[in-house]
């Protein structure tokens, strides 16, 4: 049974032309050798075909002018393959084999590899010459450079010999069905060798035990073909001839999805014979073919869009700082009485606490000043500056990079004592954030506007405070590509962030004992949540590797348990100095730090990129100081730290306040 010799084109002409122009030395070398009817044979010999063991052949088996084929069974010729012994079909196949053999021998040489062992080499499409013998020990890699029709020819002057367990593999989107080994005398494949392509030998071919030919054949013009428990699959009847992936699939987890999307687009283009892969995109990936494994990994990491995952983290940090600011002891003056023992618990009076005589006298002076007014202080206005920095360690195994986040801002607020023990207020602020990934994987920045409403209610020594906040971000991301294609990818979009916090605690006054001054302890608990809304956006479309990102809502919820410690001392001119510190534990629940994206040039092939996640459990520590003057002005500062494995956060603030 004869099979068709012509193979359909596997990729659009536009892409194939671009690939071949870049990969092949000359136009003549790009032509596929015509083996005629011999292409239908998996095994063809001149004298005899001899088999031992359960050899499996996909394709025809024939001999001419000889008349002996032995060992079938136990060997198996799978349908629709047939056996042809000394008949017209086998004779014509030998005629076509001779013509193909001579045509291949006449091809101009790309490189002379005489004396070079093929093991460990990576070769691109071309014609490789061996004046005498050729040897393969280990693995030979044939990189098709993204062209499924890439042609590899090996012209061997005398013998071809492979060592046991040697391998020939095709990468870069090649199919392996255009690999040809023209051998001047005989070929011998060592045990368990895996070879790709057609062997055209002038004399004989021997496959030792377990040797395999995928997507090829063993064709001997004059001598015998000797088999021993082998597998041979000719190109026209085997799935082994499907294209290899354009990019390797063995990559870190964070680049696997990007690689799979590119390979999927390539496979679809090949299968459907259409233009899914744009010409420029295919050409750009030619730059990857000559890279070392380390460079290829770097290129894939640059392309996977990890930069998009840092946007939400920078917004979270800025909102954390803002919520902490409006509910801190000084800005709203809502918690000071609970935490320091010197704030008003009812109009005109100071919260009583066991303090030394000097402090008590200072408090009395405050009381006297306040009682002099007919109406107690009800209004307060404040201004503050704040900033923070977070470093989140990456994960090299997963391909995740370190993330550094910075933010700073200025805010002001106005509050009003609505009831005797309840204060409400609002705050407005503005500032900027920035973030960056290690190894120059990109970064970004944003300008932001913030607003919040807040309140606090005290029940004697207990308090409950809450705040709701909103932030608007004008975000810009930026990434340079240095390996795959020198380029710069930028994007600009608007994002929104909402957050809230509720906190409650109870202050215990501890009297002075011997040399230990009086102080207060305020155990507290808090719940906090945020949502950061990123719209769908795209990078500058001038780059072939520009990406389009899906809309994304990122969330984080925090549970916080801890205690504040405070102590106060009389200060200059009846002022009062309050020192505060905090120790607490926080547990954060982050949504999956990922983002869905695609290359603008390949809109139907989306991939998910992951970013590094902050630690979930953190130790919180704070120190601060506040000075309250008799003229109703107070100034304060506070420094906060959050510590965990792979995550360190620092932030600070300075506040000035006036009450009337």
């Amino acid at each position: 049974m004869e099979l068709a010799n012509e193979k359909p084109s596997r990729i659009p002409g536009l892409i194939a032309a671009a690939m071949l122009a870049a990969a092949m030395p000359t136009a003549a070398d790009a032509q596929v050798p015509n083996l005629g009817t011999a292409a239908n044979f998996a095994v063809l010999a001149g004298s005899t075909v001899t088999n031992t063991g359960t050899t499996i052949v996909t394709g025809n088996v024939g001999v001419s002018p000889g008349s002996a084929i032995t060992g079938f069974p136990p060997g198996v010729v799978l349908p629709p393959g047939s056996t042809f012994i000394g008949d017209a079909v086998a004779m014509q196949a030998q005629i076509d084999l001779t013509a193909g053999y001579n045509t291949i021998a006449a091809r101009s040489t790309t490189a002379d590899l005489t004396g070079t062992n093929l093991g460990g080499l990576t070769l691109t499409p071309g014609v490789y010459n061996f004046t005498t013998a050729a040897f393969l020990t280990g693995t030979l890699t044939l990189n098709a450079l993204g062209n499924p029709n890439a042609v590899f020819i090996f012209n061997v002057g005398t013998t071809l010999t492979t060592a046991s367990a040697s391998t020939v593999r095709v990468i870069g989107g090649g199919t392996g069905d255009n690999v040809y080994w023209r051998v001047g005398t005989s070929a011998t494949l060592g045990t368990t060798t895996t070879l790709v392509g057609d062997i055209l030998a002038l004399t004989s071919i021997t496959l030792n035990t377990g040797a395999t030919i995928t997507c090829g054949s063993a064709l001997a013009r004059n001598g015998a073909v000797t088999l021993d428990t082998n597998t041979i699959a000719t190109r026209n009847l085997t799935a082994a001839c499907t294209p290899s992936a354009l990019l390797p699939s063995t990559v870190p987890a964070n680049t696997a999805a990007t690689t799979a999307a590119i390979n999927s687009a390539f496979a679809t283009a090949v299968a459907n014979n259409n233009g899914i892969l744009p010409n420029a995109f295919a050409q750009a990936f030619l730059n990857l073919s000559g890279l070392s494994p380390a460079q290829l990994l770097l290129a894939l990491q640059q392309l996977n869009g990890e930069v998009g995952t840092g946007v939400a983290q920078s917004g979270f940090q800025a909102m954390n700082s803002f919520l902490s600011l409006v509910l801190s002891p000084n800005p709203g003056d809502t918690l000071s009485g609970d935490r320091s023992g010197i704030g008003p618990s009812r109009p005109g009076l100071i919260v009583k606490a066991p303090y030394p005589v000097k402090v008590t006298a200072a408090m009395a002076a405050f009381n006297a000043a306040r009682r002099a007014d007919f109406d107690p202080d009800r209004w307060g206005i404040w201004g503050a500056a704040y900033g923070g920095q977070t470093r989140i360690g990456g994960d090299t195994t997963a391909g995740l990079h370190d993330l550094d986040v910075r933010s700073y801002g200025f805010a002001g607020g106005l509050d009003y004592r609505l009831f005797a023990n309840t204060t409400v207020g609002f705050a407005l602020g503005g500032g900027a954030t920035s973030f960056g990934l290690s190894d120059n994987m990109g970064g970004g920045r944003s300008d932001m506007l913030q607003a919040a409403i807040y309140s606090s209610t005290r029940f004697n020594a207990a308090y409950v405070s809450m705040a709701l906040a909103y932030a608007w971000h004008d975000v810009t991301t930026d990434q340079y590509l240095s390996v795959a294609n020198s380029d710069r990818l930028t994007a600009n979009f608007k994002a929104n962030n909402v957050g809230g916090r509720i906190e409650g605690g109870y202050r215990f006054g501890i009297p002075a004992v011997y040399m230990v001054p009086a102080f207060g302890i305020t155990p507290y608990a808090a719940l906090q949540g945020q949502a950061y809304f990123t719209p769908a956006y795209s990078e500058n479309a001038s780059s072939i590797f520009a990406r389009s990102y899906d809309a994304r809502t990122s969330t984080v919820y925090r549970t916080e348990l801890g205690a504040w410690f405070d102590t106060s001392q009389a200060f200059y001119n009846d002022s009062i100095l309050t020192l505060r510190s905090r120790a607490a534990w926080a547990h954060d629940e982050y949504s999956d730090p990922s983002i869905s994206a695609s290359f603008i040039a390949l809109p139907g092939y989306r991939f998910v990129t992951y970013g590094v996640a902050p630690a979930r459990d953190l130790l919180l520590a704070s120190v601060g100081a506040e000075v309250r003057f008799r003229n109703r002005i107070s100034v304060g500062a506070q420094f906060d730290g959050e510590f965990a494995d792979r995550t360190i956060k620092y932030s600070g603030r300075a506040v000035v306040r006036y009450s009337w």
Side-chain angles (χ1 to χ4, degrees):
M1 176 180 177
E2 290 203 25
L3 304 175
N5 294 321
E6 297 297 326
K7 300 193 298 291
S9 173
R10 292 179 179 264
I11 199 166
L14 186 63
I15 299 174
M19 294 297 187
L20 293 174
M24 300 302 172
T26 66
D29 290 330
Q31 298 173 359
V32 177
N34 183 7
L35 300 186
T37 61
N40 301 324
F41 283 79
V43 177
L44 181 62
S47 58
T48 61
V49 175
T50 303
N51 173 62
T52 301
T54 55
T55 291
I56 299 176
V57 177
T58 304
N60 294 337
V61 177
V63 61
S64 178
S67 58
I69 297 179
T70 62
F72 291 89
V76 177
V77 179
L78 297 178
S82 300
T83 301
F84 300 91
I85 303 175
D87 58 9
V89 174
M91 183 182 300
Q92 183 60 50
Q94 280 288 3
I95 293 172
D96 293 340
L97 171 59
T98 300
Y101 181 97
N102 293 331
T103 298
I104 292 173
R107 289 291 177 93
S108 58
T109 299
T110 301
D112 192 325
L113 299 181
T114 301
T116 302
N117 194 310
L118 289 167
L121 299 182
T122 297
L123 302 177
T124 55
V127 180
Y128 299 93
N129 182 70
F130 292 83
T131 303
T132 53
F135 299 91
L136 169 60
T137 303
T139 299
L140 168 64
T141 301
L142 306 179
N143 190 337
L145 302 178
N147 177 20
N149 297 324
V151 178
F152 298 85
I153 291 175
F154 297 88
N155 273 318
V156 181
T158 56
T159 59
L160 169 66
T161 304
T162 71
S164 297
S166 294
T167 301
V168 177
R169 64 172 187 150
V170 180
I171 65 171
T175 64
D177 60 354
N178 289 328
V179 180
Y180 301 89
W181 306 84
R182 186 201 65 83
V183 181
T185 56
S186 299
T188 302
L189 303 187
T191 57
T192 67
T193 286
T194 300
L195 190 96
V196 173
D198 296 318
I199 301 175
L200 291 71
L202 180 63
T203 308
S204 62
I205 302 173
T206 299
L207 277 67
N208 287 311
T209 306
T212 298
I213 298 178
T214 61
C215 201
S217 57
L219 310 175
R221 290 179 56 189
N222 301 319
V225 175
T226 303
L227 308 173
D228 182 359
T229 318
N230 310 119
T231 300
I232 304 175
T234 188
R235 62 168 63 87
N236 288 333
L237 296 174
T238 177
C241 294
T242 57
S244 63
L246 186 67
L247 299 176
S249 57
T250 305
V251 293
N254 201 36
T255 60
T258 311
T259 303
I262 296 169
N263 284 337
S264 178
F266 175 80
T268 303
V270 172
N272 297 341
N273 193 29
N274 59 26
I276 289 177
L277 273 183
N279 184 39
F281 194 88
Q283 282 185 308
F285 269 98
L286 290 175
N287 295 331
L288 301 179
S289 62
L291 300 180
S292 67
Q295 289 176 318
L296 179 59
L297 172 60
L298 177 59
L300 292 174
Q301 289 177 332
Q302 289 183 353
L303 294 176
N304 77 347
E306 188 181 355
V307 63
T309 66
V311 176
Q313 294 296 340
S314 64
F316 287 156
Q317 174 174 290
M319 179 61 76
N320 276 339
S321 295
F322 191 54
L323 286 172
S324 178
L325 175 66
V326 299
L327 291 185
S328 67
N330 201 29
D333 200 20
T334 57
L335 308 182
S336 300
D338 304 308
R339 291 180 178 171
S340 68
I342 61 173
S345 63
R346 60 184 183 272
L349 295 179
I350 299 292
V351 169
K352 292 181 288 184
Y355 282 107
V357 174
K358 289 184 178 180
V359 179
T360 303
M363 292 177 179
F366 265 87
N367 284 338
R370 291 190 175 185
R371 291 191 184 100
D373 298 328
F374 176 79
D375 195 25
D377 292 347
R378 288 186 175 274
W379 293 93
I381 188 171
W382 55 270
Y386 69 89
Q389 178 174 353
T390 300
R391 182 172 183 82
I392 306 172
D395 184 342
T396 55
T397 302
L400 301 176
H401 295 83
D402 297 345
L403 176 64
D404 285 296
V405 176
R406 294 178 175 84
S407 62
Y408 68 88
F410 302 91
L414 178 69
D415 52 70
Y416 177 73
R417 190 175 302 280
L418 187 63
F419 303 110
N421 292 322
T422 299
T423 299
V424 296
F426 72 91
L428 296 175
T433 71
S434 64
F435 69 92
L437 293 167
S438 60
D439 298 329
N440 296 315
M441 288 295 162
R445 64 177 308 277
S446 76
D447 296 316
M448 64 181 178
L449 296 175
Q450 299 168 307
I453 56 174
Y454 56 89
S455 70
S456 181
T457 298
R458 294 192 300 276
F459 309 94
N460 294 320
Y463 73 93
V464 175
S465 300
M466 62 186 67
L468 293 175
Y470 165 79
W472 174 86
H473 291 260
D474 184 2
V475 183
T476 299
T477 63
D478 197 359
Q479 181 186 6
Y480 286 91
L481 302 180
S482 61
V483 180
N485 192 45
S486 296
D487 212 338
R488 182 178 182 180
L489 304 177
T490 61
N492 180 257
F493 55 91
K494 309 300 186 288
N496 298 281
N497 188 196
V498 295
R501 180 180 174 95
I502 182 169
E503 177 182 327
Y506 189 95
R507 183 179 185 277
F508 297 91
I510 309 299
V513 179
Y514 297 108
M515 300 299 293
V516 179
F519 64 96
I521 301 176
T522 308
Y524 78 95
L527 294 175
Q528 181 174 305
Q530 286 192 58
Y532 192 92
F533 303 93
T534 305
Y537 67 94
S538 298
E539 294 167 327
N540 53 303
S542 60
S543 171
I544 190 62
F545 291 122
R547 295 158 301 218
S548 175
Y549 296 89
D550 291 348
R552 169 74 169 160
T553 299
S554 301
T555 59
V556 59
Y557 301 98
R558 165 169 286 195
T559 302
E560 197 172 309
L561 296 172
W564 283 92
F565 305 87
D566 63 80
T567 185
S568 297
Q569 297 292 331
F571 197 57
Y572 174 76
N573 195 25
D574 291 329
S575 299
I576 297 177
L577 169 66
T578 300
L579 302 178
R580 298 186 182 92
S581 63
R582 176 182 62 160
W585 164 84
H587 177 76
D588 291 335
E589 284 292 338
Y590 285 90
S591 59
D592 194 11
S594 64
I595 190 166
S596 178
S598 67
F599 293 105
I600 294 176
L602 299 176
Y605 298 86
R606 311 205 71 75
F607 53 88
V608 177
T609 294
Y610 292 90
V612 64
R616 295 181 181 273
D617 294 288
L618 304 101
L619 174 65
L620 312 185
S622 301
V623 293
E626 178 188 353
V627 177
R628 293 193 172 199
F629 302 98
R630 293 187 62 181
N631 60 5
R632 298 172 177 173
I633 294 177
S634 62
V635 294
Q638 184 171 305
F639 182 78
D640 303 297
E642 301 184 9
F643 309 95
D645 181 35
R646 299 188 303 103
T647 301
I648 299 178
K649 303 180 181 181
Y650 296 107
S651 61
R653 68 176 73 100
V655 185
V656 60
R657 175 181 172 82
Y658 176 72
S659 300
W660 72 93

